[in-house]
């Protein structure tokens, strides 16, 4: 996880290397990744999952125990001290142990096994399973499923980043669109203001009617209304964007920086994104569910086996005492048991088998959904490129027609009604061209979102990334 985070941050910093006043898109994305409370909370969950793995590993830690038994009344006065150090192993359910026992006093014949020489008895042994518990047990299954839980968290963390980056960038694009429209309207308003002053002088000199000035003023009023609407939309999107920003620094106005657009699409990236579908985090979540169910199924099948455990040990007494305690002794024990019926184990096996089939069906369904969503996103992106080209051509044509009509009006060959109509068409064409430009950027973003690649591939620095403020008619030509 740390390596993934470092890669993401390095890419963001590299692609936003040109410093400028105000926050750029890359700055916002960096804050979403590193500072947003939602992603920070998810990272804390990752720390919990890592701790759970250490907790599961602790099941195999060495264990020290000591027991003291003392007979305080009666004919016999035997006392026994037993100290043991054991270590569970991860294979065959085995357990290594070493034991030291020291006895003093007398014992009845049925407790003769407690007798030791004067310096005690030292023994070492091993216990392991031949059937139930040989391949797996609850400790090994717990450790395995804890690893799957960590993998699932990593996938859910990627999915969360993908959602957060998508929502932040989509909100930024709406703010960016309204800002571009405000700039375009302000530029047109500046041009019209000069024309309005010239027309007003003509009215004052008697060269034009007051009605002509009123018609012209209605056109400027229409632009002012559009400015008010775009200003309101910009304020609304700014408020939404503040959710992803943790600094009071204002946003950099479009055109004042040379910030790159990290989510551009070309033929190479399109192929990369399609390959990314196989690593989609939602699919990885289901895959870890499948692995967990298979581990639980193996555990359930293990409980259906008979218990057949072997325990072997070697012991030697040290010191003086009875001759029958002197020397080295070896012990071999066998434990066998089998529950009759075992309906609980069979029921658990059926449950896990059904879970596996259910998860496999979910994976198949998700794969089909992801491919369908990606193909739909590709279609929208291709359509957005065509629409952008047409909108740009329409804007250029409207500008030429408006200039021509303005020249005719200045020479007295056209009336204000036709000039206003041309001006309104020009305003609409420019607004539509800006919307088409942003729609193409949104379509590119949708492709990255569909492939869940917003947190990795897109934020890697690229020498071919286009500038966000410069719409292109053909993104397919970039390689």
């Amino acid at each position: 996880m740390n390596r993934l985070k470092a890669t993401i941050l390095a890419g963001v910093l590299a692609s936003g290397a040109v410093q400028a006043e105000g926050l750029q898109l890359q700055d916002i994305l960096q804050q979403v990744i590193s500072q947003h409370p939602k992603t920070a909370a998810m990272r804390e969950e990752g720390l919990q999952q890592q701790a759970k793995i250490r907790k599961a590993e602790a099941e195999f830690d060495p264990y020290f125990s000591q027991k003291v038994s003392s007979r305080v009344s009666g004919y016999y006065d035997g006392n026994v001290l037993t100290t043991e150090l054991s270590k569970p192993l991860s294979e065959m359910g085995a357990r290594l142990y070493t034991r030291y026992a020291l006895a003093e006093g007398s014992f009845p014949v049925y407790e003769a096994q407690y007798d030791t020489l004067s310096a005690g008895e030292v023994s070492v042994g091993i216990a392991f399973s031949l059937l139930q518990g040989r391949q797996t047990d609850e400790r090994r299954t717990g450790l395995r499923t804890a690893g799957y839980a960590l993998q699932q968290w990593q996938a859910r963390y990627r999915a969360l980043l993908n959602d957060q980056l998508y929502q932040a960038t989509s909100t930024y694009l709406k703010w960016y669109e309204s800002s571009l429209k405000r700039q375009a309207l302000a530029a047109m308003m500046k041009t019209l203001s000069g024309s309005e002053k010239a027309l007003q002088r003509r009215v004052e000199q008697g060269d034009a009617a007051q009605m002509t000035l009123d018609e012209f003023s209605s056109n400027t009023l229409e632009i002012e209304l559009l400015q008010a609407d775009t200003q309101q939309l910009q304020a609304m999107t700014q408020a939404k964007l503040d959710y992803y920003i943790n600094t009071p620094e204002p946003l950099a106005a479009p055109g004042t920086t040379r910030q790159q657009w990290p989510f551009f699409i070309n033929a190479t990236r399109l192929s990369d994104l399609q390959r990314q579908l196989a690593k989609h985090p939602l699919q990885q979540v289901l895959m870890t569910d499948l692995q967990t169910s298979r581990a639980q199924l193996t555990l359930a099948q293990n409980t259906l086996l008979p218990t057949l455990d072997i325990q072997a040990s070697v012991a030697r007494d040290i010191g003086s005492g009875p001759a029958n305690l002197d020397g080295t002794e070896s012990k071999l024990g066998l434990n066998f048991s089998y529950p009759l019926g075992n309906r609980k184990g069979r029921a658990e096996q059926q449950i896990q088998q059904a879970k596996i089939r259910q998860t496999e069906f979910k994976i198949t369904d998700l794969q089909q959904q992801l491919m369908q969503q990606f193909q739909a996103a590709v279609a929208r992106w291709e359509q957005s490129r065509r629409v952008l080209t047409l909108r740009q051509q329409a804007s250029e044509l409207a500008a030429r027609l408006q200039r021509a009509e303005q020249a005719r009006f200045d020479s007295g060959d056209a009336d204000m009604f036709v000039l206003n109509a041309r001006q309104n068409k020009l305003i609409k064409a420019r607004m539509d061209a800006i919307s088409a430009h942003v729609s193409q950027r949104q379509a590119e973003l949708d492709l990255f979102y569909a492939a869940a690649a917003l947190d990795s591939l897109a934020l890697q620095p690229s020498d071919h990334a286009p500038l966000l403020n410069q719409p292109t008619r053909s993104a397919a030509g970039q390689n």
Side-chain angles (χ1 to χ4, degrees), residues 215-392:
E215 289 181 357
F216 190 90
S217 298
S218 68
N219 198 28
T220 58
L221 180 61
E222 184 69 24
I223 295 180
E224 289 176 352
L225 291 173
L226 287 175
Q227 285 180 313
D229 291 340
T230 54
Q231 184 176 5
Q232 181 183 17
L233 180 60
Q234 186 184 41
M236 292 172 58
T237 54
Q238 173 71 67
K240 292 180 180 179
L241 201 56
D242 287 342
Y243 172 71
Y244 304 100
I245 300 175
N246 295 316
T247 59
E249 189 176 357
L251 295 172
T256 61
T257 63
R258 292 182 57 81
Q259 60 172 322
Q260 291 183 338
W261 170 244
F263 308 112
F264 70 96
I265 297 295
N266 55 29
T268 301
R269 280 197 159 192
L270 192 60
S271 299
D272 292 340
L273 290 176
Q274 189 164 4
R275 286 192 294 270
Q276 283 281 110
L277 288 176
K279 302 176 183 178
H280 198 285
L282 297 182
Q283 183 172 325
Q284 296 298 319
V285 169
L286 290 179
M287 290 300 296
T288 55
D289 284 339
L290 181 61
Q291 291 172 317
T292 300
S293 296
R294 286 173 176 169
Q296 294 294 340
L297 174 61
T298 302
L299 180 62
Q301 292 172 337
N302 175 73
T303 61
L304 298 177
L305 298 174
T307 299
L308 182 59
D309 298 339
I310 290 181
Q311 181 172 347
S313 64
V314 177
R316 183 177 181 86
D317 284 77
I318 306 171
S320 59
N324 64 332
L325 297 179
D326 196 10
T328 301
E329 63 178 11
S330 301
K331 295 181 181 179
L332 183 64
L334 185 65
N335 176 35
F336 176 82
S337 65
Y338 182 70
L340 300 178
N342 206 352
R343 290 182 296 175
K344 180 180 179 181
R346 288 187 171 86
E348 182 64 26
Q349 183 182 31
Q350 293 173 356
I351 290 173
Q352 297 305 327
Q353 288 173 339
K355 281 186 177 181
I356 289 174
R357 292 192 298 269
Q358 178 188 29
T359 306
E360 288 174 342
F361 286 132
K362 287 183 177 181
I363 291 174
T364 301
D365 177 65
L366 179 62
Q367 289 173 340
Q368 294 174 354
Q369 288 185 28
L370 293 177
M371 181 56 68
Q372 184 273 330
Q373 292 171 3
F374 184 78
Q375 291 174 347
V378 171
R380 290 194 300 271
W381 169 64
E382 292 175 342
Q383 179 66 16
S384 70
R385 292 166 54 207
R386 291 191 289 268
V387 170
L388 175 59
T389 300
L390 294 175
R391 292 298 186 189
Q392 288 177 332

Side-chain angles (χ1 to χ4, degrees), residues 64-177:
F64 175 81
S65 64
Q66 189 173 72
K67 295 188 295 184
V68 177
S69 176
S70 179
R71 184 174 270 105
V72 296
S73 64
Y75 179 79
Y76 297 99
D77 60 351
N79 301 314
V80 181
L81 170 66
T82 304
T83 302
E84 181 176 290
L85 179 64
S86 61
K87 174 68 171 72
L89 303 180
S90 60
E91 298 294 333
M92 299 179 64
R95 179 177 65 92
L96 285 174
Y97 65 90
T98 180
R99 183 180 300 146
Y100 173 75
L102 177 64
E104 62 179 11
S106 59
F107 296 90
V109 65
Y110 53 83
E111 293 182 355
Q113 72 272 17
Y114 293 137
D115 271 332
T116 67
L117 295 181
S118 60
E121 179 190 70
V122 178
S123 62
V124 61
I126 183 172
F128 56 91
S129 302
L130 296 178
L131 293 176
Q132 186 180 126
R134 177 184 175 89
Q135 291 186 348
T136 189
D137 55 24
E138 290 187 359
R139 290 178 301 184
R140 283 175 280 175
T141 301
L143 180 57
R144 190 174 296 114
T145 55
Y148 296 150
L150 178 60
Q151 294 176 16
Q152 186 173 96
W153 168 81
Q154 291 172 337
R156 290 190 294 107
Y157 181 72
R158 281 191 57 216
L160 174 68
L161 277 183
N162 195 57
D163 289 340
Q164 288 288 94
L165 293 174
Y166 177 77
Q167 294 169 10
T169 308
S170 296
T171 305
Y172 179 84
L173 285 177
K174 292 177 182 178
W175 173 88
Y176 168 73
E177 178 180 3

Side-chain angles (χ1 to χ4, degrees), residues 424-438:
N424 290 333
K425 288 183 178 180
L426 174 61
I427 295 172
K428 183 178 183 303
R430 287 183 175 175
M431 297 300 102
D432 289 343
I434 292 173
S435 297
H437 164 49
V438 176

